[in-house]
Amino acid sequence: MHKNTSAKALPEIEFWFEFASNYSYLSVMRIEELARLYQVKIKWCPFLLGPIFKSLGWNTSPFVLQKNKGDYVWQDMARQAKKYGLAWTQPTQFPRSALLPMRVAAAYKDASWIAEFCRAIMHINFVRDREIDSATVVQQVLTDLALDANLILRNMESDENKIKLRQQTELAITKKIFGAPSFIVEGQLFWGDDRLEDALHFARGVYDRN
């Protein structure tokens, strides 16, 4: 399908996501398989939507603030999940707090297990309909991944790791990101799960032209 990629590094896509974001759920569950198909490297970029919403004068998700939009979104999520063959449960609480797992994702965004961790957290939120901002829940996810959960959770108490998530969010703002999921390729912003394939196609096209 694509040219031989052995001679040079794979093109990269920045994947900006939030565990409280329902559309991020769709992308988190799909992006690895699609990135392999397109032969594109993923840079996992967790960030918090809350500060961005606050800068716009919102105290919560626009899906909550605007009832008609919220009603539409849940219908759309059911349709999209079915289209992609993903399990889906409309959360009884939305948006859910996700500070602790987001801190883990920010601190370990380059770890080999980051994709599995993110999928597990999203599954708990949007399939099992359970709280995710819990040391017990995060510990279990890390343990299931055969990681030193106690060590990682202790690391999350450090100022250094707390700052990492804040820095990620500040970086998202400098990149003019206003929602999740967002994808950046060669400085080009693509917003929304429905633009994931477009972003990967763009990354592949830029690469193949070089």
Side-chain angles (χ1 to χ4, degrees):
M1 175 180 176
H2 298 300
K3 295 179 181 179
N4 189 313
T5 59
S6 60
K8 52 184 178 179
L10 294 177
E12 184 176 81
I13 181 172
E14 295 180 16
F15 175 32
W16 293 84
F17 65 95
E18 230 261 33
F19 288 138
S21 161
N22 53 294
Y23 283 111
S24 288
Y25 162 71
L26 298 176
S27 292
V28 164
M29 306 308 276
R30 301 190 305 125
I31 193 169
E32 269 209 317
E33 183 178 350
L34 286 169
R36 280 193 293 269
L37 176 65
Y38 281 87
Q39 298 180 32
V40 172
K41 179 182 176 183
I42 307 166
K43 182 177 181 180
W44 293 80
C45 302
F47 76 109
L48 292 175
L49 278 169
I52 292 176
F53 287 165
K54 187 174 292 186
S55 72
L56 298 171
W58 304 339
N59 60 5
T60 187
S61 166
F63 301 155
V64 175
L65 293 173
Q66 302 174 45
K67 184 181 184 304
N68 288 344
K69 181 179 285 190
D71 291 344
Y72 166 81
V73 161
W74 300 130
Q75 293 177 6
D76 188 52
M77 283 297 302
R79 290 192 299 256
Q80 295 298 101
K82 183 177 181 180
K83 180 175 76 173
Y84 298 138
L86 297 174
W88 165 253
T89 302
Q90 181 177 330
T92 52
Q93 181 180 338
F94 179 84
R96 280 196 166 105
S97 174
L99 186 59
L100 179 58
M102 289 299 295
R103 281 179 178 164
V104 173
Y108 293 93
K109 59 186 175 65
D110 299 319
S112 61
W113 46 266
I114 185 64
E116 290 180 278
F117 175 79
C118 291
R119 286 195 296 268
I121 294 295
M122 286 296 202
H123 181 87
I124 293 169
N125 191 6
F126 293 110
V127 178
R128 298 173 62 189
D129 190 22
R130 289 181 52 198
E131 296 301 321
I132 54 176
D133 196 9
S134 157
T136 301
V137 169
V138 174
Q139 182 179 44
Q140 187 60 59
V141 169
L142 295 169
T143 299
D144 290 346
L145 294 176
L147 299 168
D148 189 337
N150 291 329
L151 175 62
I152 291 172
L153 288 174
R154 282 198 303 272
N155 288 343
M156 292 307 98
E157 296 301 315
S158 72
D159 289 338
E160 177 185 2
N161 282 319
K162 290 178 181 178
I163 289 171
K164 284 180 181 178
L165 179 56
R166 189 181 315 150
Q167 290 173 332
Q168 279 287 110
T169 304
E170 291 170 353
L171 181 59
I173 293 171
T174 66
K175 290 175 177 280
K176 299 183 179 179
I177 290 172
F178 52 86
S182 288
F183 314 95
I184 296 180
V185 181
E186 295 286 318
Q188 294 282 324
L189 175 65
F190 298 79
W191 171 54
D193 173 72
D194 59 348
R195 293 296 182 264
L196 171 54
E197 286 88 342
D198 288 352
L200 290 165
H201 185 75
F202 183 82
R204 192 69 247 168
V206 169
Y207 179 85
D208 287 340
R209 287 195 299 271
N210 289 338

